[in-house]
Amino acid sequence: MLPLDELKQLESELENAAELGRLKPIFQRMAEIARQNDGDLDVQLAAAELRQHIIDKGLALKQPAPAAPPPNGSAPQSSRVVVVELPAPPPPQRVRPPKPLNLRRAILIGAGLGIAAWLIIFVVLIQIARNHNMPRQPQTAANAATAAAPPPASSAKTAAGSVPVNIATTPAGAAIQINGETRCKSDCRVDLTPGNYQVTAALDGFDPSATGVTVVPGNPINVNLSLVSQTQTVRLYTDLAAGKAILDGQPAADLQDGQLVLDRVANGKHTLRLSSANNEARFSFETAAGQAPTITGPVVARNMFAVLVASSGHTARIVSSSAAPVAVALNGAPRGDAGPQGLVLDNVPPGDQTLTVGSGPEQRKLVVSFGAVPSLTAFLKTDVNTGTLVVTTGEENVTVYVNGKPYARKTRRGELRLPAIGDVRVRVAKAGFQPEAEQTTLVKKGEETKLAFHLTPLPKLAALQIRNAAPGIQILLDDSMLGRLGPDGSLSAANLAPGEHTIEARREGFVSKRIVRTLKPGESLVIPGADLALAPSTALVHLVISPSNATLTYRRNDEAQPHTARDTTLKLDPGAYTFTVRAPDFVDRTERTTVSAGETRTLEIALARETRPAPAPVPKPRPTVSWAGWSKEGDQYVRKGGDRVVLHSGSLPGTITFTAHLKKGGLFRGSKLRWFVEDGEGYSQFELDKKKFQARGPDGARSKDRLRGGDDENTYTVQIDITPTRIIHRMKIAGSWITVDSQPAKDIADGRFGFVIPASDEVAISGLQFTPRN
């Protein structure tokens, strides 16, 4: 309940109080409301007035009963008047029991207390006004540092018991209400005492959003509300007898009396084309969440004049099909010229306004409706000998009589547009409303003329209007179905009984909301959509879990089987839950919490890594070399003959280094040093003699002149570098490694390496090393 409403309720309780014992709790609650709203001047004034009424009431209750007065009218000798025992204005002081006083003295004391209370209130109000009107100091480096410094310890004591609540909306800039009281604009922070609250956000161009918040002592609470943009409306008003409109290539829609209203146009880029027998117009526009439609590209019109008005809130943009700039006036006040890029109008008042476009014979007067919901209105006028009469009533389904005859259509969205010319007599009628006087106006060719009627419900009946709420909400009046909100979030109902009623809003997936309102005879009560913003019936729990591969399961305490979280946001029914998080190599963790309907909460769980001894490194197997058939002579292995001799088989990637010496045969007899590498591509053989290095294999045959640099031409030091894709040969010449060959390799995980030693040759190998590749 709002503070002013609660003070009014206390005033009513005071009037019904018949004994002194009822006054003290009223006074204490009044003082508490004044303390909690020390910055609200209206609340302070109302509390001061109620305080004086309590004092007056206490003095009146302390006076003796007037029964059986003495004949001379004086008070009996035994009668006593006692001053009311009420707490004085803060700081409170303990009042000693009053001494017995006579009536005159009691009245004087009571009057003195009242004057003292008013003096205290007067001083407090003057101080509040001074603080409010005090000029701001220039922002200097010194006071900027002071402002940025953390608050002193004393301020923390002032806010003792309160919890910071950070409220953010997407998008920002929404008006924030807490339990129906406007507090700030998002993103903002408010301090709340522990308890249950409903937070509501409202922003032009978006449906209101609400959530329940349970404030408990502890850390700050974050509340995030996402606002859903209102779908936009496109209106076409023409003076054509018939025509078809095509939006984004969809099936054509027929004009009705030259008009067409498209509700719930999705956000994005659109193209609209209107055509009739001899007329055509085409334009493109783009809609976005919470913004006025944007007219993109030129407005093309054939045999007609087009004016487009894109509006949202107090801003509008005017674009016409004219190649030359046209003058624009709003309600008779010139606003500038609308050129090819259009003209932006600021500070546009809400409601129906008169827009004048052009001058002289080409001048057009149009009636445009501006409001908070983004909309695009297209006026497409030809040179027919007629004008447009705009009849507004503020009520749906009103019958409009033109020159004594009822028009075929009734009002829609509280308005009716019809072709007319010359003097026109109009009256309106609807059951449950008082008759309205007939009005007469002159409708000129090419102009729009407005006649406004303000329907008044019959004195013994009341009406109700709901505006700018979320579409689809069911409305009940005293537990009886009243209707469902339309696409524009509005509902009108008449012929209702005056008095106090309970209005309930229901929507699947949300917590129903009940408000109490008083309908007065002959009046139409307007309820804004923010008053009926519904909170989700489930709680939202945002999960922040680490590590990222962790698995979270949860169950309500009255459930036997847990559920696995598939998303980072859970919608949960109210109740107590147990959350368990597990991940490989981390310690399991369990959290328990209770969630309420409509609550939004963030659950952060970080697992601690398990402490395990590091595994012992597994030694890599060393490649093996088979020297079977070789004889050991000093640091050399010697072998005579044997043809194809395998030294190593298995994985080949790595580096093989060896020094080979031809002990028998010699280069002078044409003998050669031969070795081979066998991989997935096949068998490759390599040869060295005193003249050349040769290679033969799947990649073909190659030869290269041997480089000189050693003292012994029968001794060769060779390095073979084997990678997963290549076999590279190098020779050590004069202390340096020189690359002599490179060829592709394949499937070297299982291969062979060895020497080819004919029967007449004898080879000695030393320094053979095989270093595998990591």
Side-chain angles (χ1 to χ4, degrees):
M1 183 180 296
L2 295 177
L4 290 175
D5 293 339
E6 189 171 358
L7 289 174
K8 291 180 181 178
Q9 181 176 337
L10 293 175
E11 182 79 35
S12 177
E13 295 178 6
L14 178 64
E15 294 178 358
N16 298 326
E19 55 186 17
L20 287 174
R22 296 287 302 276
L23 301 186
K24 189 170 183 178
I26 295 175
F27 186 92
Q28 291 174 338
R29 181 54 188 158
M30 175 272 300
E32 179 67 16
I33 293 174
R35 185 187 64 79
Q36 293 176 351
N37 299 271
D38 57 355
D40 192 324
L41 184 58
D42 292 337
V43 173
Q44 295 299 321
L45 291 174
E49 185 176 357
L50 179 58
R51 182 185 290 109
Q52 185 59 42
H53 290 174
I54 296 173
I55 294 174
D56 296 341
K57 184 77 171 185
L59 291 173
L61 291 176
K62 277 298 184 178
Q63 292 184 6
N72 58 6
S74 61
Q77 294 296 324
S78 60
S79 64
R80 294 180 180 179
V81 178
V82 181
V83 177
V84 181
E85 185 179 346
L86 292 176
Q93 297 179 355
R94 183 173 299 175
V95 181
R96 295 181 179 180
K99 297 179 179 181
L101 302 173
N102 56 34
L103 177 60
R104 182 178 180 183
R105 185 177 181 184
I107 293 175
L108 292 175
I109 293 175
L113 290 175
I115 293 172
W118 275 110
L119 287 175
I120 293 173
I121 294 168
F122 182 74
V123 172
V124 171
L125 293 179
I126 289 176
Q127 186 61 37
I128 292 174
R130 285 179 176 175
N131 293 338
H132 184 269
N133 296 322
M134 184 177 294
R136 298 183 179 272
Q137 295 293 335
Q139 186 73 8
T140 64
N143 59 37
T146 303
S154 59
S155 65
K157 294 181 179 179
T158 303
S162 296
V163 177
V165 179
N166 301 309
I167 303 173
T169 64
T170 306
I176 302 300
Q177 287 189 347
I178 299 179
N179 289 349
E181 179 184 1
T182 301
R183 299 295 295 270
C184 59
K185 281 193 175 183
S186 65
D187 296 337
C188 60
R189 165 185 160 173
V190 294
D191 294 334
L192 300 177
T193 56
N196 294 320
Y197 297 85
Q198 185 177 46
V199 180
T200 304
L203 181 64
D204 285 348
F206 294 82
D207 290 330
S209 179
T211 186
V213 176
T214 300
V215 177
V216 296
N219 296 328
I221 297 175
N222 297 324
V223 177
N224 297 293
L225 293 173
S226 295
L227 303 180
V228 178
S229 62
Q230 294 174 335
T231 54
Q232 304 196 9
T233 300
V234 176
R235 305 182 182 93
L236 297 179
Y237 297 139
T238 79
D239 51 14
L240 300 173
K244 293 182 179 294
I246 300 176
L247 179 65
D248 300 331
Q250 297 300 315
D254 293 327
L255 297 177
Q256 296 182 1
D257 288 348
Q259 305 170 37
L260 180 63
V261 178
L262 302 174
D263 282 318
R264 306 183 70 82
V265 177
N267 291 333
K269 296 181 179 180
H270 304 280
T271 300
L272 193 147
R273 178 174 173 265
L274 176 72
S275 62
S276 66
N278 301 311
N279 312 93
E280 184 179 17
R282 184 176 67 256
F283 56 89
S284 300
F285 62 96
E286 184 175 356
T287 58
Q291 300 179 15
T294 302
I295 303 168
T296 58
V299 179
V300 180
R302 180 172 61 86
N303 295 333
M304 59 172 45
F305 178 67
V307 177
L308 272 60
V309 182
S311 65
S312 177
H314 298 285
T315 304
R317 181 167 174 252
I318 313 298
V319 178
S320 77
S321 60
S322 174
V326 293
V328 175
L330 185 65
N331 296 330
R335 287 298 191 98
D337 294 337
Q341 300 303 320
L343 175 67
V344 176
L345 303 182
D346 294 323
N347 302 319
V348 179
D352 292 335
Q353 313 298 331
T354 300
L355 183 71
T356 305
V357 180
S359 59
E362 301 298 325
Q363 186 182 82
R364 305 278 183 170
K365 286 188 177 180
L366 311 170
V367 177
V368 187
S369 179
F370 298 93
V373 178
S375 63
L376 175 62
T377 306
F379 297 90
L380 307 171
K381 301 295 184 178
T382 65
D383 197 29
V384 297
N385 189 29
T386 186
T388 301
L389 177 63
V390 182
V391 180
T392 63
T393 63
E395 296 290 337
E396 300 291 294
N397 298 318
V398 176
T399 302
V400 178
Y401 294 83
V402 181
N403 295 329
K405 297 181 180 180
Y407 195 69
R409 291 186 297 111
K410 296 183 178 181
T411 59
R412 183 184 177 191
R413 294 183 177 86
E415 180 183 277
L416 176 66
R417 288 172 172 263
L418 53 94
I421 192 70
D423 292 322
V424 182
R425 294 179 291 106
V426 180
R427 68 179 180 90
V428 298
K430 183 178 180 181
F433 290 83
Q434 294 181 0
E436 292 289 320
E438 186 178 76
Q439 298 186 42
T440 302
T441 189
L442 174 63
V443 181
K444 296 181 181 180
K445 174 185 175 181
E447 293 187 357
E448 293 190 351
T449 304
K450 173 186 172 182
L451 282 180
F453 293 86
H454 304 282
L455 295 182
T456 303
L458 294 174
K460 293 185 178 180
L461 298 175
L464 174 67
Q465 297 182 48
I466 299 174
R467 298 176 181 171
N468 297 325
I473 292 180
Q474 292 181 330
I475 303 299
L476 290 83
L477 184 69
D478 298 332
D479 297 326
S480 297
M481 182 61 66
L482 189 63
R484 186 186 297 270
L485 299 185
D488 58 350
S490 64
L491 175 69
S492 297
N495 303 327
L496 302 177
E500 188 174 89
H501 295 273
T502 299
I503 301 165
E504 182 177 358
R506 293 180 182 175
R507 190 178 183 183
E508 186 177 357
F510 293 81
V511 179
S512 299
K513 185 175 183 180
R514 297 168 69 93
I515 60 175
V516 177
R517 295 292 185 269
T518 299
L519 302 181
K520 298 181 180 179
E523 295 184 7
S524 180
L525 176 65
V526 177
I527 298 178
D531 289 0
L532 297 177
L534 303 182
S537 59
T538 56
L540 290 180
V541 177
H542 301 293
L543 304 175
V544 180
I545 307 299
S546 63
S548 59
N549 64 335
T551 301
L552 182 141
T553 59
Y554 64 95
R555 67 175 182 86
R556 202 165 63 181
N557 289 356
D558 57 356
E559 295 177 336
Q561 297 297 325
H563 312 278
T564 301
R566 307 287 183 187
D567 201 354
T568 57
T569 298
L570 302 178
K571 291 184 178 181
L572 303 178
D573 293 328
Y577 286 80
T578 299
F579 297 84
T580 302
V581 182
R582 296 183 174 92
D585 302 324
F586 288 81
V587 180
D588 295 350
R589 183 174 170 183
T590 299
E591 293 285 343
R592 294 176 177 82
T593 188
T594 301
V595 297
S596 304
E599 179 184 4
T600 300
R601 177 176 297 186
T602 299
L603 182 63
E604 298 184 7
I605 302 179
L607 300 184
R609 188 176 294 274
E610 287 184 346
T611 303
R612 295 181 179 178
V618 178
K620 293 184 179 180
R622 300 290 299 176
T624 59
V625 176
S626 175
W627 293 104
W630 297 72
S631 60
K632 186 76 167 18
E633 297 179 4
D635 60 350
Q636 294 183 332
Y637 287 90
V638 180
R639 179 164 184 144
K640 182 177 181 180
D643 199 14
R644 189 169 179 268
V645 179
V646 177
L647 287 183
H648 170 76
S649 61
S651 179
L652 289 180
T655 303
I656 303 174
T657 306
F658 62 87
T659 298
H661 177 71
L662 285 174
K663 295 188 64 175
K664 190 173 182 181
L667 293 177
F668 59 90
R669 297 192 316 183
S671 297
K672 299 180 180 180
L673 177 66
R674 302 177 181 91
W675 66 93
F676 65 89
V677 175
E678 184 178 344
D679 60 7
E681 290 291 330
Y683 181 87
S684 297
Q685 180 169 308
F686 306 91
E687 299 177 354
L688 261 176
D689 58 21
K690 68 189 256 182
K691 293 183 179 180
K692 293 183 178 295
F693 172 88
Q694 293 182 319
R696 294 193 300 271
D699 198 35
R702 300 172 305 282
S703 66
K704 185 175 181 179
D705 292 340
R706 177 191 170 194
L707 299 176
R708 310 288 177 157
D711 296 334
D712 185 357
E713 294 186 347
N714 293 337
T715 301
Y716 316 99
T717 300
V718 180
Q719 183 184 82
I720 309 173
D721 191 6
I722 304 176
T723 72
T725 59
R726 301 203 69 80
I727 302 174
I728 303 170
H729 277 76
R730 299 182 182 90
M731 291 187 64
K732 195 168 188 180
I733 306 297
S736 299
W737 290 104
I738 306 299
T739 299
V740 295
D741 186 63
S742 176
Q743 74 173 46
K746 185 177 181 182
D747 296 337
I748 60 175
D750 185 15
R752 292 174 177 83
F753 163 75
F755 291 89
V756 178
I757 307 175
S760 60
D761 288 353
E762 184 176 3
V763 176
I765 304 298
S766 64
L768 178 65
Q769 293 183 354
F770 185 9
T771 304
R773 186 177 298 274
N774 292 331

